[in-house]
Amino acid sequence: MSDEQRYEWRSHRRSSWGPVRLVRRADAIEATVGDATVTLDLTDRRTAAERQANPFRDAYDDGVPVTLNGERVATITTEGKRSGLGRRQRLAVTGDQRFVLPGMQLTHRGLPKLLTLRSEAGVLVASRRWASPLNMAVVEWSFVREHDLVPPRVAGGTRPEHVALWFAVKEEVTL
């Protein structure tokens, strides 16, 4: 992974689970909530010929490694194909049982930009449906703010590493 930092932001310090610190690098996204730092390794491991033949391939098709405080704990992969901006795409989270809860998956769609992290126990972290247009407007047209204004909905008892995972994936899927 590269150390070339593209940008960094901190936000949601008044939330019960906050604050969050997010660092975007050339080939990685690092999100920190509390003592938990989750990193997505977005390095494209394909050959140059494969990249040239399919330049718009989704990183999740090959699996994105997830590390928690430097230790690899999971892999996120695509669970089916998405067609169109309004359709949902499911991402399966598999790996170490200390991190991955049974049935853990992410669901996202492009318009409006919504992301949900859930397990068999229910929804852990989710975008607020009513806030999505507001967050999109703030990110696109604000000269002062480069990230969401309204924090996600976080279920009680959700661990900080899962909130950090949600923020890291949200940063990747909304770019």
Side-chain angles (χ1 to χ4, degrees):
M1 289 188 293
S2 172
D3 286 338
E4 176 190 339
Q5 184 172 322
R6 289 191 178 172
Y7 60 86
E8 174 180 351
W9 57 261
R10 297 169 202 266
S11 188
H12 309 305
R13 67 175 181 255
R14 292 193 176 115
S15 300
S16 61
W17 46 264
V20 62
R21 176 181 164 266
L22 193 126
V23 178
R24 174 76 185 198
R25 301 189 194 295
D27 57 357
I29 298 172
E30 179 181 290
T32 303
V33 175
D35 294 336
T37 300
V38 171
T39 305
L40 299 181
D41 181 3
L42 301 170
T43 305
D44 193 349
R45 292 169 179 82
R46 299 177 295 156
T47 64
E50 289 173 332
R51 274 187 248 144
Q52 190 173 23
N54 192 359
F56 299 109
R57 183 172 173 84
D58 190 6
Y60 297 109
D61 290 344
D62 296 325
V64 172
V66 178
T67 60
L68 173 63
N69 298 330
E71 176 186 350
R72 183 166 175 181
V73 292
T75 302
I76 301 174
T77 54
T78 305
E79 253 192 12
K81 295 296 175 193
R82 177 175 89 175
S83 60
L85 293 172
R87 299 217 180 235
R88 289 188 176 105
Q89 179 180 21
R90 295 191 194 289
L91 303 171
V93 182
T94 56
D96 189 348
Q97 292 178 353
R98 293 175 294 163
F99 177 77
V100 178
L101 301 175
M104 188 177 250
Q105 69 176 359
L106 291 139
T107 306
H108 79 90
R109 69 179 186 192
L111 288 174
K113 293 179 181 180
L114 300 172
L115 179 67
T116 304
L117 174 63
R118 66 180 46 148
S119 69
E120 288 177 358
V123 174
L124 302 171
V125 186
S127 302
R128 296 177 191 265
R129 184 174 293 275
W130 62 268
S132 181
L134 175 64
N135 284 336
M136 287 172 59
V138 166
V139 170
E140 294 298 325
W141 296 311
S142 174
F143 293 112
V144 180
R145 200 167 177 93
E146 298 175 351
H147 50 84
D148 292 350
L149 181 66
V150 180
R153 183 172 35 104
V154 178
T158 301
R159 300 189 319 223
E161 57 263 27
H162 294 139
V163 177
L165 174 66
W166 184 90
F167 271 102
V169 173
K170 182 173 186 307
E171 178 69 18
E172 198 281 324
V173 298
T174 58
L175 287 180

